[in-house]
Amino acid sequence: MQAFWYGTGITMLYISVAASIMLSARKLLTIPDELFRKILHFILLGAYIPLVFAFDIWWRAAIFACALIVVLFPVLSLAEKLPVFSSFVNERRKGEFKNSMVLAIGMMAFSVSICWGLFGDQYLVLASIYAWGVGDAMAALVGKRFGKHKIKWKLADGKKSIEGSLAMFVCSLISVFTVLTVRGGFGIPLCIGTALLAAIVCTLTEMCAQNGLDTVVCPTAAMVVIIPLVTVFGG
């Protein structure tokens, strides 16, 4: 039980400090809405590091993620009734922030259970999540600012741009390559090849994802690519 509370304490300390700093900055500084949204996105992505390294066993990390949903859901349900809340977090539609948080934290539990629980590798959690998360954030920022050429592909949702998708591809590739390199046991050519394939799959999946479902489908697609390759060749 002590190990569970240790992991919970470390992860919550990170979330509390990072969120407090960012929320204070939101009040004191002029931060563009889209940039603020993506900084919150990066704070959540950062939580995966204490999540997979502060907990000693995968199921404790998964239980923490599930407990966090149970606590946050009613709190955010009450908060969204306040008009100031929606404008503060820059919601595009009512309930977006709450739903996004539930999906993202639910994905924590799922990715930990599959990558760490089933395959015994914490780094697979980071590789799969960051294949989507870092690229998705940069795709939004670049797409909003420089996205002049909309993707007309039949399966695309019509809102994505070539510029944004290229940003996602590059950032996804770099993120997966970095995680696999730090993990070790995987030669540089295999790191590059796996990262390249994961980046392509995540980028194509994100083009088609709608209504915030990229939070679920993109990391899952990354797992489908990364896990078999790392399991077979990664040592």
Side-chain angles (χ1 to χ4, degrees):
M1 196 64 179
Q2 184 178 357
F4 173 78
W5 290 116
Y6 173 80
T8 297
I10 295 296
T11 307
M12 287 305 300
L13 177 63
Y14 161 78
I15 293 173
S16 300
V17 171
S20 296
I21 292 173
M22 199 56 238
L23 293 174
S24 298
R26 174 71 162 171
K27 293 184 68 175
L28 298 174
L29 304 174
T30 302
I31 302 175
D33 288 340
E34 191 63 30
L35 178 60
F36 178 73
R37 287 169 60 93
K38 296 312 169 186
I39 291 176
L40 291 179
H41 179 93
F42 274 111
I43 288 174
L44 188 60
L45 291 177
Y48 274 88
I49 295 176
L51 183 77
V52 299
F53 293 118
F55 287 93
D56 60 333
I57 301 175
W58 71 268
W59 55 263
R60 289 187 175 127
I63 288 174
F64 165 79
C66 293
L68 193 58
I69 293 175
V70 172
V71 172
L72 279 181
F73 187 83
V75 171
L76 294 177
S77 295
L78 291 173
E80 68 183 12
K81 297 182 184 299
L82 304 174
V84 68
F85 176 79
S86 181
S87 61
F88 187 79
V89 298
N90 188 34
E91 286 190 308
R92 296 192 180 107
R93 57 187 179 277
K94 185 174 178 58
E96 180 196 23
F97 186 80
K98 176 186 68 180
N99 295 336
S100 295
M101 289 297 292
V102 169
L103 285 176
I105 299 171
M107 201 60 208
M108 278 186 173
F110 178 74
S111 60
V112 163
S113 299
I114 298 298
C115 298
W116 187 4
L118 190 59
F119 291 93
D121 195 329
Q122 292 130 298
Y123 284 97
L124 293 181
V125 179
L126 300 181
S128 299
I129 293 297
Y130 291 169
W132 156 74
V134 178
D136 178 72
M138 295 309 298
L141 293 173
V142 171
K144 289 283 185 181
R145 179 67 178 83
F146 302 105
K148 306 298 184 183
H149 303 89
K150 297 299 181 183
I151 296 172
K152 303 299 184 181
W153 186 31
K154 184 178 180 180
L155 296 177
D157 73 348
K159 300 177 183 178
K160 306 300 192 303
S161 67
I162 294 175
E163 293 83 359
S165 293
L166 283 174
M168 175 161 187
F169 170 76
V170 171
C171 292
S172 179
L173 189 155
I174 293 172
S175 298
V176 176
F177 174 79
T178 301
V179 172
L180 293 180
T181 301
V182 172
R183 175 189 180 275
F186 216 43
I188 294 298
L190 284 173
C191 284
I192 295 174
T194 302
L196 182 63
L197 187 56
I200 292 171
V201 170
C202 274
T203 301
L204 292 175
T205 303
E206 197 267 345
M207 284 182 191
C208 304
Q210 300 183 37
N211 301 321
L213 289 180
D214 58 318
T215 304
V216 174
V217 296
C218 288
T220 302
M223 287 183 207
V224 171
V225 172
I226 296 171
I227 289 176
L229 292 173
V230 173
T231 301
V232 173
F233 300 108

